[in-house]
């Protein structure tokens, strides 16, 4: 396999790894400039993470918050997309090794975002259900619905208790939002779908190791979100650390055990890694260290933006910028301008984050929102949350689909997407993925380096 993309004469090549908010903004702004842009992502679509929890709770369909890259850039001959996974960088040759082969670059931008952080606990990593991607959200949706089905046919009360206890670990925005969505499912959906189930047996636990929810927001927002959730029947446990998961039981540091077969892990993230990135370039949370221009420390033409990077030197954010969509978007936009300025021999502009606020929804008419001079909770925050997120979704059809689903749900107190689907991969795809997993790991480059070192010795 190979990229099969010829260099455009007289144009510098920019290779972007990751089509999230930052990578997409960068590619879009460079699409009209004098660069050849190659976007690499292991999925063939851009996804909208803020609404992934609604896919997991059967509120909206996956296609409503995803948009194919080839649809986005289909009419621009200067932007090329390849479905691949970045593996290694050979900076001395300006080569990126991927799962489909090597690609040369003039500028390499890493924008691959984050993945779930299990903090080294392999047992939890193996057993828990994460919720970072559309695939994981679909997996959670299937697990929830199949557990509900099993709970009305199981033979023992112990198994029923395990099936109807839902444990969510992590009190950030994702944990708060999925807990609220499941509480509304318990109140409005289960009585209609499962009239022979005692919905009071369904218990939802939200466990946070810190002393408050939404630690990135103001204390008033944290307090109000906890109040909303408790009013909705959620068991909110603060200052509780999860140590393990064994025999269908979540085990806490204080010895408490919660029986469950739905163990949802949203307790932190770590940056996506590049195999041979030097340790000196890696900071807290696996994030890649960059300067004020998002250039990776120790490299001249490699940059990193968004959640994958940590920028040192910003006095307002000494521990790095928050891993939010707006940071990635603003960094992607400025880096596009700086690359164009670099081509023209002009001085680059340092990055300064403009905080546009943050928000989290808890349920119907319940949300918290913070802006520079405004903190609000309840219906107004909920309405603002709807408007902001609807505007941010790509594609008119997707906006209309999400709006229709929200309106239908609001008026009928119901969702219509409760399907249990386990897709089956074609044998050809299975074999191709196996080949890709076993090849294209830069063996020839490592061999060439070893040979060169021997000759020098």
């Amino acid at each position: 396999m190979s990229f099969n993309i010829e260099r455009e004469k007289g144009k510098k090549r920019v290779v972007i790894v990751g089509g999230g908010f930052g990578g997409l903004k960068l590619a879009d702004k460079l699409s009209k400039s004098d660069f050849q842009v190659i976007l690499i992502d292991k999925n063939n679509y851009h996804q909208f993470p803020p609404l992934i929890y609604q896919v997991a709770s059967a509120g909206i369909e996956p296609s409503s918050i995803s948009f194919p890259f080839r649809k986005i850039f289909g009419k621009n001959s200067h932007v090329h997309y390849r479905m691949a996974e970045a593996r290694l960088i050979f900076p001395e040759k300006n080569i990126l090794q991927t799962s489909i082969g090597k690609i040369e670059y003039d500028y390499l931008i890493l924008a691959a975002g984050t993945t779930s952080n299990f903090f080294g606990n392999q047992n939890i990593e193996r057993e828990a259900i994460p919720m970072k991607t559309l695939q994981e959200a679909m997996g959670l949706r299937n697990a929830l619905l199949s557990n509900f089905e099993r709970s009305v046919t199981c033979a023992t009360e112990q198994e029923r208790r395990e099936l109807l206890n839902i444990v969510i670990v992590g009190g950030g925005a994702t944990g708060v939002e999925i807990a609220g969505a499941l509480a509304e499912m318990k109140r409005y959906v289960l009585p209609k779908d499962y009239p022979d189930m005692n919905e009071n047996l369904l218990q939802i636990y939200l466990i946070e190791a810190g002393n408050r929810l939404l630690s990135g927001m103001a204390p008033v927002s944290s307090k109000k979100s906890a109040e909303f959730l408790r009013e909705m029947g959620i068991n909110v446990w603060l200052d509780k650390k999860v140590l393990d998961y064994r025999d269908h039981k979540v085990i806490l540091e204080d010895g408490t055990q919660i029986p469950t077969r739905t163990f949802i892990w949203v307790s932190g993230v770590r940056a996506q890694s590049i195999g041979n990135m030097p340790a000196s370039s890696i900071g807290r949370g696996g994030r890649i260290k960059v300067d004020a221009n998002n250039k990776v420390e120790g490299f001249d033409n490699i940059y990193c933006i968004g959640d994958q990077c940590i920028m040192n030197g910003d006095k307002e954010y000494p521990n790095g910028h928050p891993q939010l969509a707006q940071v990635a978007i603003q960094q992607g936009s400025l880096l596009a301008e700086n690359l164009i300025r670099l081509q023209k021999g002009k001085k680059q502009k340092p990055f300064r984050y403009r905080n546009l606020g943050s928000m989290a929804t808890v349920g119907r008419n319940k949300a918290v929102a913070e802006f520079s001079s405004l903190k609000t909770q309840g219906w107004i925050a909920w309405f603002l949350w709807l408007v902001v997120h609807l505007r941010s979704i790509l594609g008119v059809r997707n906006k209309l689909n999400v709006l229709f689903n929200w309106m239908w749900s609001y008026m009928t107190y119901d969702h219509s997407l409760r399907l249990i689907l386990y897709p089956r991969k074609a044998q050809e795809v299975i074999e191709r993925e196996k080949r890709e997993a076993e090849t294209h790991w830069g063996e020839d480059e490592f061999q060439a380096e070893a040979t060169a070192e021997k000759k020098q010795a």
Side-chain angles (χ1 to χ4, degrees):
M1 290 180 285
S2 64
F3 275 79
N4 295 327
I5 300 174
E6 295 290 336
R7 274 188 175 271
E8 292 186 51
K9 188 175 181 180
K11 290 190 174 184
K12 292 289 183 70
R13 175 183 283 180
V14 178
V15 175
I16 304 170
V17 179
F21 289 115
L24 200 63
K25 172 61 72 172
L26 175 63
D28 181 59
K29 293 204 71 170
L30 290 180
S31 66
K32 302 176 182 65
S33 65
D34 195 28
F35 286 102
Q36 181 187 42
V37 181
I38 299 175
L39 177 64
I40 299 170
D41 197 290
K42 59 185 178 182
N43 298 309
N44 74 333
Y45 55 84
H46 166 79
Q47 63 184 16
F48 189 71
L51 293 184
I52 279 180
Y53 82 94
Q54 291 199 10
V55 174
S57 58
I60 56 178
E61 58 221 27
S63 60
S64 296
I65 61 167
S66 55
F67 208 78
F69 292 122
R70 293 190 181 278
K71 178 72 172 177
I72 298 171
F73 298 110
K75 295 181 180 180
N76 194 310
S77 60
H78 302 306
V79 179
H80 306 267
Y81 163 73
R82 290 294 184 266
M83 188 168 72
E85 179 183 10
R87 289 177 173 170
L88 302 164
I89 303 171
F90 299 98
E92 66 285 351
K93 295 182 179 180
N94 290 341
I95 287 176
L96 173 70
Q97 176 71 58
T98 77
S99 57
I100 62 170
K102 293 189 284 289
I103 183 75
E104 293 182 351
Y105 61 83
D106 293 299
Y107 300 103
L108 174 64
I109 289 82
L110 305 175
T114 60
T115 186
S116 297
N117 190 353
F118 299 96
F119 304 100
N121 193 315
Q122 295 181 355
N123 198 38
I124 289 179
E125 184 173 359
R126 181 175 61 253
E127 299 289 347
I129 307 171
M131 200 177 64
K132 275 290 295 176
T133 66
L134 277 177
Q135 294 95 323
E136 291 171 347
M138 288 295 295
L140 175 54
R141 188 183 84 173
N142 286 336
L144 285 167
L145 297 176
S146 61
N147 284 354
F148 293 157
E149 294 293 340
R150 176 63 180 169
S151 71
V152 297
T153 62
C154 63
T156 68
E157 287 303 315
Q158 176 63 27
E159 184 182 1
R160 182 172 289 108
R161 186 184 178 197
E162 294 170 357
L163 290 165
L164 293 179
N165 277 350
I166 299 172
V167 177
I168 305 163
V169 182
T174 303
V176 167
E177 289 172 344
I178 188 62
L182 293 177
E184 293 198 327
M185 179 183 282
K186 172 184 176 179
R187 181 177 180 182
Y188 300 118
V189 174
L190 295 189
K192 291 185 288 188
D193 277 16
Y194 301 92
D196 48 351
M197 177 198 294
N198 180 359
E199 67 269 14
N200 292 323
L201 295 177
L202 178 62
Q203 293 295 312
I204 304 168
Y205 298 83
L206 177 59
I207 303 175
E208 166 57 37
N211 59 8
R212 65 186 181 99
L213 303 177
L214 301 175
S215 61
M217 300 181 73
V220 63
S221 298
S222 300
K223 181 180 179 181
K224 197 63 181 179
S225 62
E227 288 178 5
F228 283 146
L229 289 170
R230 289 187 172 114
E231 289 171 2
M232 298 167 73
I234 302 294
N235 301 290
V236 179
W237 290 6
L238 303 176
D239 292 310
K240 300 287 186 180
K241 185 177 180 180
V242 173
L243 291 184
D244 206 351
Y245 179 76
R246 295 194 304 268
D247 302 323
H248 299 136
K249 294 183 182 67
V250 173
I251 301 170
L252 276 60
E253 190 175 43
D254 62 6
T256 303
Q257 298 185 6
I258 309 173
T260 182
R261 300 197 182 197
T262 310
F263 177 34
I264 304 171
W265 187 268
V266 288
S267 185
V269 295
R270 61 175 176 82
Q272 293 280 11
S273 59
I274 296 291
N276 61 341
M277 182 67 68
S280 59
S281 298
I282 305 298
R284 186 172 56 87
R287 298 164 76 176
I288 298 172
K289 298 177 184 177
V290 299
D291 64 14
N293 302 122
N294 283 99
K295 186 163 65 174
V296 177
E297 292 185 3
F299 299 92
D300 292 328
N301 59 346
I302 301 178
Y303 296 79
C304 187
I305 60 175
D307 295 354
Q308 198 177 10
C309 79
I310 182 166
M311 183 178 290
N312 301 312
D314 191 329
K315 294 180 180 179
E316 294 186 26
Y317 300 91
N319 296 317
H321 298 99
Q323 291 170 294
L324 300 173
Q326 271 302 319
V327 176
I329 291 170
Q330 292 177 33
Q331 288 183 343
S333 180
L334 181 62
L335 181 55
E337 293 179 18
N338 277 338
L339 289 176
I340 294 171
R341 293 173 68 86
L342 196 62
Q343 285 292 92
K344 296 179 180 179
K346 296 182 179 180
K347 186 178 179 180
Q348 299 185 63
K349 297 179 181 179
F351 177 74
R352 291 292 179 267
Y353 174 48
R354 186 163 57 96
N355 189 348
L356 300 181
S358 56
M359 53 182 63
T361 183
V362 182
R364 174 185 296 260
N365 300 329
K366 298 180 178 70
V368 293
E370 297 179 1
F371 304 98
S372 57
S373 58
L374 172 67
K375 293 181 178 63
T376 182
Q377 306 87 35
W379 187 88
I380 294 176
W382 178 76
F383 180 76
L384 291 172
W385 184 93
L386 293 179
V387 172
V388 168
H389 285 77
L390 192 63
R391 286 187 60 191
S392 301
I393 295 172
L394 290 181
V396 175
R397 183 185 66 84
N398 286 5
K399 293 180 192 292
L400 292 175
N401 280 344
V402 171
L403 179 61
F404 175 78
N405 279 323
W406 284 349
M407 292 174 60
W408 180 264
S409 176
Y410 192 83
M411 291 185 296
T412 66
Y413 293 85
D414 195 11
H415 303 310
S416 58
L417 304 168
R418 294 182 296 279
L419 306 177
I420 302 173
L421 301 171
Y422 295 102
R424 182 179 183 272
K425 288 185 178 180
Q427 187 61 30
E428 170 61 28
V429 174
I430 294 173
E431 292 176 357
R432 182 187 308 126
E433 289 179 345
K434 183 180 178 181
R435 288 194 303 271
E436 289 181 6
E438 295 172 349
T439 58
H440 296 301
W441 287 95
E443 298 90 345
D444 53 341
E445 295 296 336
F446 287 124
Q447 184 62 42
E449 289 179 357
T451 303
E453 289 176 0
K454 286 182 179 179
K455 288 182 179 179
Q456 290 178 357

